[in-house]
Amino acid sequence: MKKLFLVFTVLIIGVLALSAPQHLVIFHINDTHGHVWSTSDGGGFAKIATLVNDARKEIEAEGGKVLFLHAGDVNTGVPESDQLDAVPDFSTLHYMGVDAMALGNHEFDIPLDVLKMQERVAGFPFLSANFVDRNVYPVFKPYIIKDLNGLKVGIIGVTTEQTTQLEPIYLGENKFESALEAVKDYLPEVKEKSDVVIVLGHLGYKEYPVLPVGYTTSDELASKVDGITAIIDGHTHSLITNGDIINNTVIAQAGEWGKNLGRVDLWIENGRLIDWKAQVIPVTADVPSDPFIDMVAQSYYEMGSSELNKIVGKTEVLLDGERADVRSKETNLGYLITDSLVWKTGADFALTNGGGIRASIKAGDITYRDVLTVLPFGNTLYVLNITGEKIMEMLKYAATIPAGQGAFPHVSGLSFSIDKNGNPEYVLIKGYPVVLNKTYKMVTNNYVALGGDGYTMLSGLSGYDTGFVMADIVKDYIGSLGTITDYSKRARIIR
């Protein structure tokens, strides 16, 4: 009788174990943009590694499963990273144990062969189901299946279709299909092979800029497609503190620059989500750095630091390059940058996009590092021949750009007003009214010249790439100014 009871008890325990929910924890970061290294405020990959490694031990000791994902935009933002084609980032992420990354739009700031090199350095797959070649074949893996000790997790990668407009230079014959349709296409195949389906997306959450291309957001994807357990997102730098759930799909995004580590806990039973919890963990200065990751990161940081720290000028005023400001209004740094383009080329006027200005310069000595932090993309000066009629077309587009968009214009040698109907008027070039049938010399950056940020009317105009790197020209111009005690405050665009 005792033996029968023991057998029965073992069977009951076994059945309960088989039916118990499985616990999957996803750690995630996004939009790190070269911020490998900690600052006095915290952040940095070495501190993130400590948080992930300590939690992983606890979770796995309790029978849970762990994924570590990056939702894209590793590239562009910090000089020590940019100079080395983000090798410091991908090498460090490799040792941190990242499982996969969605391709972000800024992964296309660089040629495709460099991006492929980065994937080799990383040692984990770059995913994008909707980035395809001219034969509509995925250029990178569309999805992977991770077997976590019996729990099979399908991960579909997608990239914002906005990349077509935001980073067109290196796309060649490749293109971005609808992320929504790509997920719909791959979902049945992935569901058949897995217990859980995660979309690792660089799509953006609840921000809807007016652009000449259609695009998918993570909240839209969740609302329109059934069967996705969670969307790990990036692109809009959104800090979704406790996650969101739409159509039984959890959505998470962890801000920017490695300031926070996202954590999503999912409890899965027979492939069904029965409970969840999402949080963001601040990567504060008091979090200890993982010594090995810190060693790897610092070895890269030391490469070329002496050159970056050279003083190139001085300012007594803040030169404003804050993201919210340069995408919504003119600033003194925007004036300085565009003035430098005219200074170098002798063009009639200059225009650059606010999205290319990535940081402010504080009062004090200005180093080459500061300039590269402001202008990290490696853009070159591009001179165009443009008629007054085409200038009016360009300004009509510029007048429609809402605050917050990277296309917001900064100008030199050009001034104009915007009337109550949103049309440009009182357009002056070098102080004189624009003449529609006259041809002017315009200087911009190569990204805008080739139609980036919606300036499609410039694509195909006669002109040439000077080869002058924008950051170097700004550096030289700052050097020519001596100490900056003030910079022009007179509005060039009147709204």
Side-chain angles (χ1 to χ4, degrees):
M1 187 67 181
K2 287 182 178 178
K3 287 183 179 179
L4 183 61
F5 177 76
L6 182 60
V7 170
F8 180 74
T9 301
V10 170
L11 286 173
I12 291 295
I13 292 171
V15 169
L16 289 173
L18 288 172
S19 62
Q22 298 203 63
H23 183 201
L24 171 63
V25 178
I26 304 171
F27 291 105
H28 60 98
I29 51 179
N30 59 275
D31 297 280
T32 49
H33 286 293
H35 289 76
V36 175
W37 302 276
S38 298
T39 69
S40 58
D41 296 323
F45 287 3
K47 293 182 184 297
I48 291 172
T50 294
L51 293 172
V52 172
N53 292 341
D54 289 351
R56 186 191 293 271
K57 291 173 187 174
E58 295 178 9
I59 295 160
E60 292 179 345
E62 295 170 358
K65 329 288 186 185
V66 175
L67 277 176
F68 188 8
L69 303 175
H70 196 301
D73 271 10
V74 170
N75 280 280
T76 310
V78 174
E80 288 81 2
S81 169
D82 298 338
Q83 282 197 124
L84 298 173
D85 288 327
V87 167
D89 311 58
F90 289 110
S91 178
T92 309
L93 290 169
H94 166 78
Y95 289 115
M96 291 166 68
V98 169
D99 293 291
M101 182 187 85
L103 288 174
N105 57 293
H106 282 289
E107 268 62 77
F108 297 91
D109 290 340
I110 54 177
L112 188 59
D113 61 339
V114 177
L115 184 56
K116 293 277 191 180
M117 175 276 291
Q118 291 177 340
E119 186 177 30
R120 292 193 296 273
V121 170
F124 53 78
F126 292 2
L127 305 179
S128 185
N130 64 316
F131 178 52
V132 298
D133 63 19
R134 63 181 179 179
N135 298 313
V136 200
Y137 189 83
V139 180
F140 290 82
K141 285 185 179 180
Y143 70 86
I144 59 169
I145 308 295
K146 293 285 292 188
D147 190 337
L148 303 176
N149 295 322
L151 179 67
K152 292 182 179 178
V153 182
I155 305 170
I156 304 172
V158 282
T159 306
T160 179
E161 305 93 329
Q162 296 176 19
T163 310
T164 300
Q165 179 182 359
L166 299 176
E167 273 75 35
I169 296 176
Y170 297 114
L171 296 183
E173 295 184 330
N174 303 316
K175 60 183 178 179
F176 289 90
E177 300 279 271
S178 164
L180 179 70
E181 295 304 319
V183 171
K184 284 182 179 179
D185 288 345
Y186 282 104
L187 191 58
E189 181 181 334
V190 174
K191 288 184 76 171
E192 190 175 320
K193 298 177 180 179
S194 59
D195 304 307
V196 180
V197 178
I198 307 297
V199 170
L200 181 57
H202 193 82
L203 298 177
Y205 169 77
K206 291 188 177 180
E207 289 189 17
Y208 317 106
V210 178
L211 297 172
V213 294
Y215 57 89
T216 308
T217 58
S218 56
D219 46 299
E220 178 191 9
L221 180 63
S223 67
K224 292 184 177 179
V225 181
D226 298 332
I228 303 169
T229 306
I231 300 173
I232 304 301
D233 193 28
H235 185 49
T236 45
H237 299 217
S238 305
L239 190 63
I240 311 177
T241 307
N242 299 117
D244 193 4
I245 189 160
I246 299 173
N247 190 25
N248 208 39
T249 297
V250 177
I251 303 175
Q253 194 177 148
E256 64 179 9
W257 298 1
K259 297 173 184 176
N260 300 279
L261 171 67
R263 173 173 173 164
V264 178
D265 289 66
L266 305 173
W267 286 270
I268 310 295
E269 188 173 64
N270 299 322
R272 186 172 61 90
L273 178 68
I274 62 169
D275 201 2
W276 68 280
K277 179 183 178 183
Q279 60 183 306
V280 289
I281 304 163
V283 185
T284 53
D286 59 348
V287 174
S289 295
D290 179 278
F292 177 71
I293 298 301
D294 191 50
M295 179 191 71
V296 173
Q298 289 305 319
S299 67
Y300 285 110
Y301 188 83
E302 290 167 7
M303 295 181 185
S305 281
S306 59
E307 183 66 27
L308 290 172
N309 289 331
K310 285 184 177 177
I311 295 171
V312 299
K314 186 174 183 178
T315 177
E316 294 180 355
V317 295
L318 172 75
L319 299 173
D320 184 5
E322 293 305 302
R323 177 186 173 95
D325 292 339
V326 295
R327 292 169 180 246
S328 64
K329 63 183 181 182
E330 297 181 283
T331 74
N332 58 356
L333 184 54
Y335 292 154
L336 186 151
I337 289 169
T338 51
D339 287 351
S340 76
L341 307 190
V342 172
W343 171 80
K344 180 64 178 179
T345 62
D348 295 311
F349 72 97
L351 179 146
T352 196
N353 56 320
I357 303 171
R358 307 299 282 192
S360 295
I361 297 177
K362 296 178 181 178
D365 290 335
I366 303 172
T367 65
Y368 187 33
R369 183 194 306 278
D370 294 326
V371 178
L372 287 171
T373 304
V374 172
L375 299 168
F377 296 106
N379 291 121
T380 52
L381 274 56
Y382 204 107
V383 174
L384 295 168
N385 298 309
I386 183 168
T387 63
E389 186 177 9
K390 187 65 75 172
I391 290 170
M392 294 303 295
E393 181 184 345
M394 176 183 73
L395 296 183
K396 191 167 185 178
Y397 165 68
T400 68
I401 298 166
Q405 296 307 302
F408 191 90
H410 294 262
V411 298
S412 174
L414 165 68
S415 65
F416 63 99
S417 299
I418 300 172
D419 68 20
K420 62 182 180 180
N421 297 316
N423 294 310
E425 60 180 0
Y426 306 119
V427 179
L428 302 179
I429 307 289
K430 298 174 72 172
Y432 294 95
V434 65
V435 178
L436 295 182
N437 62 359
K438 181 178 177 178
T439 298
Y440 296 88
K441 187 159 78 167
M442 169 185 174
V443 61
T444 183
N445 62 67
N446 60 326
Y447 168 66
V448 170
L450 296 175
D453 260 347
Y455 288 93
T456 54
M457 73 295 298
L458 302 181
S459 180
L461 293 182
S462 66
Y464 60 95
D465 192 325
T466 66
F468 298 135
V469 176
M470 197 168 172
D472 289 344
I473 302 312
V474 171
K475 169 179 70 73
D476 293 344
Y477 180 64
I478 288 172
S480 76
L481 296 175
T483 298
I484 300 169
T485 56
D486 197 2
Y487 210 82
S488 174
K489 296 179 181 177
R490 184 177 179 182
R492 302 173 184 184
I493 303 173
I494 300 171
R495 294 176 179 267

